[in-house]
Structure formats: structure tokens, C-alpha cells
Amino acid sequence: MADKLMTIHLKVWRQDGSGKPGKLAPYTLEGVNPHMSFLEMLDLLNEKLTAKGEEPIEFDSDCREGICGSCSLVINGVPHGPQRGTAACQLHMRHYRDGDTIVVEPWRATAFPVIRDLVTDRSALDRIIQAGGYISVNTGNAQDANSIPVEKAQSDTAFDYAACIGCGACVAACPNASAALFTGAKISHLALYPQGEPERKRRVIRMVDQMETEGFGDCSNHGECEAACPKTISISAIAMMRREYLKATLSIKE
Ligand code: SF4
Ligand code: FES
């Protein structure tokens, strides 16, 4: 038996450009298949708006598989929506009921200015990575995988932190708009591997300084970041970042 199609009422943030006033615009969308992803539902709405000669709603997406971190929607007040550990692109309409009203807004943070509608400028996160979120190695043949042994437990923890997709939901969820979970995940991932050791102290100082320069707030342990993170990155990354920063500032001067 075919799935019953739903009618969904939407209130979507519309904003003509950066610094312009915006507002929630109401739409009623019929013919929503419960198996559609949230982004496919927005695609359907855009098709209907375009057919009527109206401006489609701008929103970011790329992989639509929970990998790239592009989809940045606050759904009913929650970054990435109601399903824990799920990016907006992997949220499906079967989690909603016929006749539901859904409010869709962009990430809200001073460091993420709205470009248009639901699209924000998240290049501040790129600049934090540019400040130190890398390792420097001489080019040449790849080393044998076993030449630098790493304990399994340590490698697993590093991998958990490396799962961060850089979406910025942690910033959007935090009442201080802090980027501490994102930055902490990158710092912790690299600090746990021998390859990250040579630049370890310089990295944490530069990345934390850049985080402050970009206008992100400080962490005050609300834990909203961990709850909103589509990759369920542990808030322990922030504690590790703080330890790394303290050790680095006590031992070196830039
Ligand atoms: S820590 Fe989680 S919420 Fe923050 S940028 Fe990484 S994946 Fe997104
Ligand atoms: S579109 Fe890539 S994570 Fe959602």
C-alpha cells in the first residue's frame, strides 16, 4: 500500500542578503512523502515556488549523506532537528505527522553571518583550521603503516574526535555561540597521534587564539553542543583542549 502523503506547514527564514532584515515566511506544502529527507522536502517546496515564479529558498547542502557538514538548518529551534546524532540531510519526514508546523531557521551566531535565507558564512571555522588544524610532513613515499605504532584505545579515541564534520551545529546550539567543541575535537584528534606531536603546543595556542579572534564566545559547560552534534562528539574534547592549552602556555612562548 502506498504511503499516505502529508501536508506540512512551514515557517522558513527568508532574508534577501547579509545585513538585510529577515522574517519567517509561511508556506503550506502538500504531497510530502514520509520517506523524503528533510532537504528533499525543501527541494519539493522550491520546485513549487519556482513553478509559481517565486524565489526559491536558499539553503546549503552537498553530500546529503551526513559527511560534508554543509546542511545547516535550525529545525524547530534545534540545530539539525530532533533526531540525535543525525545531520539535517539524514533526517526523514516520517518523523513528522500530517499537518505539523515546522520552523526552519539558519545557524544563529555573530561569527556566522547570514548570507541569504538559510545560508550562513561559516568560513570562521576554516580560519581556525588554517591557524593550526593540520600536520606538516615532508613529501615522499608513504611510510609503512606499522612504523609508528599507536595503541588501539588511543587510536579509537582520536578517530571519535576526527569524526567532526565541521558543520557548526555546536556553535548554533551554544548560548555563548562557542566553537569550543569543534576546535577541541580538531586539537584532541591531532594531539592523540604521534604525527601531531611536533606542532602540538603551537597548534593549540594558535587555534584557540583564532577562535577568540573570530568572535566565538567562551564555553561555560552547558553541554548543548554535544547534544546537537550530528557526530555525537564528546564534550571531553573541550576538557582536553583546555589541558593542552594550559600545558602549552606554561611551557612555550610564541
Ligand atoms: S563538533 Fe559536532 S556539531 Fe561541532 S562542527 Fe563538529 S560535527 Fe558539527
Ligand atoms: S549535506 Fe553533507 S552533511 Fe548534510
Side-chain angles (χ1 to χ4, degrees), residues 144-253:
D144 184 88
N146 294 323
S147 65
I148 310 175
V150 184
E151 284 177 21
K152 176 79 167 74
Q154 187 173 334
S155 151
D156 285 350
T157 308
F159 192 79
D160 287 346
Y161 293 137
C164 167
I165 55 175
C167 63
C170 44
V171 177
C174 176
N176 307 330
S178 167
L181 191 63
F182 164 80
T183 311
K186 303 299 178 191
I187 287 167
S188 303
H189 149 223
L190 293 171
L192 283 164
Y193 274 128
Q195 292 90 337
E197 193 60 34
E199 291 151 306
R200 183 171 180 169
K201 293 174 183 170
R202 194 176 62 196
R203 171 184 307 116
V204 64
I205 290 173
R206 287 186 178 176
M207 290 179 77
V208 169
D209 286 353
Q210 190 64 35
M211 184 172 67
E212 288 172 8
T213 303
E214 297 293 345
F216 293 106
D218 199 7
C219 169
S220 48
N221 294 320
H222 283 260
E224 295 290 335
C225 53
E226 185 183 275
C229 175
K231 297 296 153 187
T232 59
I233 303 287
S234 165
I235 202 170
S236 63
I238 300 176
M240 183 158 180
M241 175 178 71
R242 293 215 188 284
R243 286 196 299 276
E244 289 289 312
Y245 187 78
L246 192 61
K247 280 192 281 186
T249 47
L250 290 176
S251 64
I252 65 164
K253 284 198 168 73

Side-chain angles (χ1 to χ4, degrees), residues 71-151:
C71 52
S72 45
L73 306 174
V74 176
I75 302 167
N76 284 345
V78 181
H80 288 302
Q83 215 181 357
R84 187 160 167 75
T86 305
C89 59
Q90 296 198 294
L91 176 67
H92 286 83
M93 294 312 295
R94 57 180 167 268
H95 298 290
Y96 295 92
R97 283 175 303 191
D98 188 28
D100 271 358
T101 298
I102 307 174
V103 180
V104 193
E105 295 171 271
W107 282 179
R108 303 278 188 198
T110 308
F112 292 162
V114 173
I115 296 173
R116 193 178 180 88
D117 297 337
L118 303 170
V119 179
T120 53
D121 178 358
R122 287 172 287 160
S123 57
L125 297 185
D126 298 335
R127 290 188 289 275
I128 293 174
I129 295 295
Q130 284 163 6
Y134 50 80
I135 59 163
S136 303
V137 289
N138 293 326
T139 54
N141 288 341
Q143 289 192 357
D144 184 88
N146 294 323
S147 65
I148 310 175
V150 184
E151 284 177 21

